[in-house]
Amino acid sequence: MSNLRSGMDLGLGDRCSHIAFTRAKETFANRAGRPGSPILQVGASFANCMDYGAVKVAMTSDGIGSKIEVAERTGVYRTLGFDLVAMVVDDLVSNGFEPANLSNILDVDYLDVRVVDELMQGLADAAAAAQVAVTGGEIAELGARVRGYGPGMHFNWCATAIGLLPQGLRPVDGLALEPGDVLVALPSTGFRSNGFSLVRSVLGRCLGDAWHEQPLAGFDTWGMAALTPSIIYAPAVLGVLRSGVDVHGIAHITGGGIPDKLGRVLRVRGLGAVLDDLPPAPWFMAELQRMGGIDDRQAWHLWNMGTGMIVAVGRRDAERCAEILRREGHEARVAGRVVPERGISILGGGSREVRFDLRG
Amino acid sequence: MSNLRSGMDLGLGDRCSHIAFTRAKETFANRAGRPGSPILQVGASFANCMDYGAVKVAMTSDGIGSKIEVAERTGVYRTLGFDLVAMVVDDLVSNGFEPANLSNILDVDYLDVRVVDELMQGLADAAAAAQVAVTGGEIAELGARVRGYGPGMHFNWCATAIGLLPQGLRPVDGLALEPGDVLVALPSTGFRSNGFSLVRSVLGRCLGDAWHEQPLAGFDTWGMAALTPSIIYAPAVLGVLRSGVDVHGIAHITGGGIPDKLGRVLRVRGLGAVLDDLPPAPWFMAELQRMGGIDDRQAWHLWNMGTGMIVAVGRRDAERCAEILRREGHEARVAGRVVPERGISILGGGSREVRFDLRG
């Protein structure tokens, strides 16, 4: 695995994120007593909830990283909007906010009208699925500052979404979490927008540079499987929040996988989780793990392994929560429970138990 | 001038922006009757004003383009935050909104802690100057998808700012503009974040590839002159808006220069402007125009030529407006007036008259 860069620089990434967050915190005082003042809670988990008087607003930014290379390889640009929208709106809803508006920035080397048109169509489709309005956008021609695969237009694409706290609801912050809470999992049909350094590395190593053209049953090619668009969970999860179900925590499974993202929620109260009935990983994801000889720990850390979101609810609300999510079209299932012992244990599905410690 | 790419692809850029905006408009219905619904006014000029009930919110996104190459050349990263913050907060205030929060996305090829630290320090300094809180951020390691000058860390940097309409005020939309209104100009000491393709092209052609190291009186080097940080006008302009001065329109002079940006404001009512006392261009900007043999029309279209913002006010309020801006530290001056005839005439300062038609 030493030839895989993925995840190798996490220490450096953490240091840089820490620097960025420390500097950002210095700026919170700039809005003291004025609209836009960040509301700081235990563990600074709501630095991005802002007080706009009668309205509480949150904003979140993300990009879709090197998944874009898969679009450049396959020539299919229509679905990336789902990845872009999912990354930001599902982050908002995992904090209990209703996504409302989205702005996007497309950095390109040079412009190809056909590609831009497909990207923007996809963005509009995804915005409809997420029930948000695209109210800002910028296309920047950056020439040689942007590079990618093959001869076409290359680009990097990111978005910022803003949302608001629904009337009568509080942010979902993990503070109400307790042992015995039930973890309801929402299946993911693909990699969403994370772990693509490893995806590309394994496919290139095993199938050669033109890996995206290699046939794959059910997907035409490996390229199309890797491109599987992200599911947007926000409207369904919002349905749960609005239903009165007692939601204690929500984890959007992105970079760092279940260990990091569910871990962050569990850490708020120093708890752990046993996950013994997670949805299975999409078969091409499992196959990729096998092909690459990726050990379970690394796979769970870098990929979502088939779960895109986990909702923690009080025991009595578990079935009702799953039922609402199923009505919204997701094959939600009770996948595990919160336990007093720190750490996350993942078992079942034929695989060995995998255990992750939760530091601090 | 045919070897200068700058501004040559404006037609293609316009087409892509049109596609993006058309698709974005389709998504406005997604929020109909709900928070985040865009408020559409005459000419769709307020598509980015969103109704959050008691609060009206706007969001804007932008990046700092290839000015980043100047930082990569000089090794000075501390001031780019001013460019990044200025681009978005000054757009918000030019629509009458008070900037409150800002999120940023830093795309890098690989991480250099020292560079990230300087960038984030600069961002915090600029946020203090703009009186906004940095409440979101993302650093994305994109490897070979990001490129730049020299051997160091390369990056592209963009931001989204959100702001709100101050209590009791309306968006500034140009609808109240009328002949006789006075145009108050705020000087810019450098290029802000626009026109750098032309800056780099002229300097490379005239001074060679190491142009940034060439000495320049008062700036140490040409690199440091080109890097001159953007002035942040938002707090001063907000002071004018809050003072009760009758503001009819505001133009933030970015890409497209005065012809495009003041033109956009004038076009709302089909009016024109005579600018006969604009601040002089910074001398290195004038020198660069001379060195490159750039004709006046192109220079005014691609560079701000020394004016970063123009505030249009009723005749009686002109001196009061300028006085408030001067108290806030800007050498504001009455630079011209609104006239009934379409088009923008720029005269004086020793240069020939330059006239720009305003289509539509």
Side-chain angles (χ1 to χ4, degrees):
Chain A
M1 293 303 303
S2 61
N3 63 328
L4 300 179
R5 290 180 55 249
S6 341
M8 293 294 126
D9 285 347
L10 262 187
L12 195 55
D14 283 348
R15 276 170 71 196
C16 288
S17 295
H18 179 74
I19 287 169
F21 184 59
T22 304
R23 292 293 174 196
K25 261 198 299 194
E26 295 172 10
T27 71
F28 292 178
N30 297 338
R31 300 301 302 171
R34 289 192 287 178
S37 183
I39 298 167
L40 280 170
Q41 297 199 350
V42 177
S45 58
F46 283 95
N48 75 340
C49 170
M50 289 90 71
D51 192 343
Y52 276 67
V55 187
K56 304 288 177 277
V57 174
M59 75 193 302
T60 190
S61 296
D62 207 352
I64 52 174
S66 62
K67 186 169 189 173
I68 289 169
E69 186 188 307
V70 185
E72 290 169 349
R73 284 172 173 268
T74 57
V76 176
Y77 299 95
R78 185 67 187 262
T79 59
L80 288 182
F82 283 81
D83 300 301
L84 185 65
V85 171
M87 288 305 100
V88 289
V89 302
D90 286 347
D91 260 5
L92 285 180
V93 84
S94 73
N95 287 327
F97 287 77
E98 174 181 351
N101 300 103
L102 185 142
S103 171
N104 72 108
I105 298 182
L106 181 67
D107 285 349
V108 305
D109 51 356
Y110 69 92
L111 288 166
D112 179 326
V113 174
R114 186 189 67 83
V115 175
V116 171
D117 190 40
E118 287 199 28
L119 292 174
M120 294 303 156
Q121 282 187 45
L123 180 63
D125 293 343
Q131 299 174 35
V132 299
V134 177
T135 43
E138 179 71 20
I139 302 175
E141 291 176 78
L142 297 180
R145 303 193 66 79
V146 174
R147 281 287 175 256
Y149 179 90
M153 170 184 129
H154 304 116
F155 56 103
N156 292 313
W157 205 12
C158 64
T160 296
I162 60 181
L164 72 162
L165 206 54
Q167 283 294 334
L169 294 182
R170 284 175 32 77
V172 174
D173 54 11
L175 280 172
L177 218 60
E178 51 187 58
D181 281 355
V182 171
L183 300 170
V184 177
L186 286 151
S188 166
T189 50
F191 289 100
R192 295 178 75 78
S193 270
N194 298 102
F196 274 87
S197 295
L198 184 60
V199 170
R200 292 181 298 114
S201 164
V202 170
L203 285 169
R205 190 152 46 87
C206 299
L207 302 176
D209 183 57
W211 57 260
H212 57 285
E213 296 171 354
Q214 300 306 308
L216 184 70
F219 286 96
D220 196 17
T221 59
W222 268 102
M224 291 307 295
L227 195 63
T228 302
S230 300
I231 293 174
I232 294 170
Y233 305 109
V237 174
L238 212 50
V240 173
L241 291 167
R242 285 234 172 76
S243 71
V245 160
D246 188 21
V247 176
H248 293 171
I250 307 177
H252 178 204
I253 312 305
T254 54
I258 288 179
D260 277 14
K261 291 303 191 278
L262 179 61
R264 178 192 291 184
V265 174
L266 293 167
R267 219 175 266 121
V268 173
R269 298 267 336 256
L271 298 169
V274 173
L275 292 159
D276 50 14
D277 197 19
L278 282 170
W283 71 267
F284 63 90
M285 196 182 282
E287 172 64 10
L288 204 64
Q289 185 186 351
R290 193 197 59 74
M291 282 163 59
I294 314 296
D295 69 46
D296 283 343
R297 295 190 66 78
Q298 187 176 22
W300 284 100
H301 258 301
L302 291 175
W303 294 339
N304 63 57
M305 299 305 280
T307 296
M309 196 167 266
I310 295 176
V311 182
V313 296
R315 202 178 319 196
R316 291 184 192 171
D317 280 336
E319 258 318 310
R320 199 167 139 230
C321 171
E323 180 51 35
I324 293 168
L325 294 170
R326 283 192 288 260
R327 267 207 314 265
E328 297 276 344
H330 304 279
E331 294 182 36
R333 66 206 271 172
V334 168
R337 63 198 181 281
V338 176
V339 297
E341 303 78 27
R342 283 170 191 244
I344 298 175
S345 285
I346 299 176
L347 350 88
S351 82
R352 313 144 288 285
E353 173 177 353
V354 194
R355 198 173 156 76
F356 299 92
D357 289 335
L358 295 177
R359 292 163 297 170
Chain B
M1 291 301 303
S2 60
N3 63 329
L4 299 179
R5 289 181 54 250
S6 342
M8 293 296 126
D9 285 347
L10 262 187
L12 196 56
D14 284 348
R15 275 171 71 197
C16 289
S17 296
H18 178 74
I19 287 168
F21 184 59
T22 303
R23 293 292 174 195
K25 260 198 299 195
E26 294 173 11
T27 72
F28 292 178
N30 297 338
R31 299 304 299 171
R34 290 192 287 178
S37 182
I39 297 168
L40 279 171
Q41 297 200 351
V42 178
S45 58
F46 284 96
N48 75 340
C49 170
M50 288 90 70
D51 192 343
Y52 275 68
V55 187
K56 304 288 177 277
V57 174
M59 75 192 302
T60 190
S61 297
D62 207 353
I64 53 175
S66 62
K67 186 168 189 173
I68 290 169
E69 185 187 308
V70 185
E72 289 169 349
R73 283 173 173 268
T74 56
V76 176
Y77 299 94
R78 185 65 187 263
T79 59
L80 288 182
F82 283 82
D83 299 302
L84 185 65
V85 171
M87 288 305 100
V88 288
V89 302
D90 286 347
D91 260 5
L92 283 180
V93 85
S94 74
N95 288 326
F97 286 77
E98 174 182 351
N101 299 104
L102 185 143
S103 173
N104 72 109
I105 298 182
L106 181 66
D107 285 348
V108 306
D109 51 356
Y110 69 92
L111 288 166
D112 179 326
V113 174
R114 186 190 66 82
V115 175
V116 171
D117 191 40
E118 287 199 30
L119 292 175
M120 295 302 157
Q121 282 187 45
L123 180 62
D125 294 343
Q131 299 175 35
V132 299
V134 177
T135 43
E138 180 70 20
I139 302 175
E141 291 175 78
L142 297 180
R145 303 195 65 79
V146 174
R147 282 288 175 256
Y149 178 89
M153 170 184 128
H154 305 118
F155 56 103
N156 292 313
W157 203 12
C158 64
T160 297
I162 59 181
L164 72 163
L165 207 54
Q167 282 294 336
L169 294 182
R170 284 175 33 78
V172 174
D173 54 13
L175 280 171
L177 217 61
E178 51 185 60
D181 280 355
V182 171
L183 299 170
V184 178
L186 286 151
S188 167
T189 51
F191 289 100
R192 296 176 77 75
S193 269
N194 297 100
F196 273 88
S197 295
L198 184 60
V199 170
R200 291 181 297 114
S201 163
V202 171
L203 286 169
R205 189 154 45 90
C206 299
L207 302 176
D209 182 58
W211 57 259
H212 57 284
E213 295 170 354
Q214 300 307 308
L216 184 70
F219 286 94
D220 197 12
T221 59
W222 269 102
M224 290 309 294
L227 194 64
T228 303
S230 300
I231 294 173
I232 293 170
Y233 305 110
V237 175
L238 212 50
V240 173
L241 292 168
R242 284 233 173 77
S243 71
V245 160
D246 188 19
V247 176
H248 293 173
I250 307 176
H252 177 203
I253 312 304
T254 53
I258 287 179
D260 277 14
K261 290 303 192 277
L262 179 60
R264 178 191 290 183
V265 174
L266 292 167
R267 220 174 265 119
V268 174
R269 298 267 336 257
L271 298 169
V274 173
L275 292 160
D276 50 13
D277 198 19
L278 282 170
W283 71 268
F284 63 90
M285 196 181 283
E287 172 64 11
L288 205 62
Q289 184 187 351
R290 193 197 59 73
M291 282 163 60
I294 313 296
D295 69 48
D296 283 342
R297 295 190 66 79
Q298 187 176 25
W300 284 100
H301 258 301
L302 291 175
W303 294 339
N304 62 58
M305 299 304 281
T307 296
M309 197 167 265
I310 295 177
V311 183
V313 296
R315 201 179 319 199
R316 291 184 192 172
D317 280 336
E319 258 318 310
R320 199 166 140 230
C321 171
E323 181 52 35
I324 293 168
L325 294 169
R326 284 192 287 261
R327 267 207 314 265
E328 297 275 344
H330 304 280
E331 293 183 37
R333 65 206 273 171
V334 169
R337 63 195 181 283
V338 176
V339 297
E341 303 78 26
R342 284 170 191 244
I344 298 175
S345 285
I346 300 175
L347 350 90
S351 82
R352 311 145 290 284
E353 173 177 355
V354 193
R355 197 174 156 76
F356 299 92
D357 288 334
L358 295 178
R359 289 165 298 171

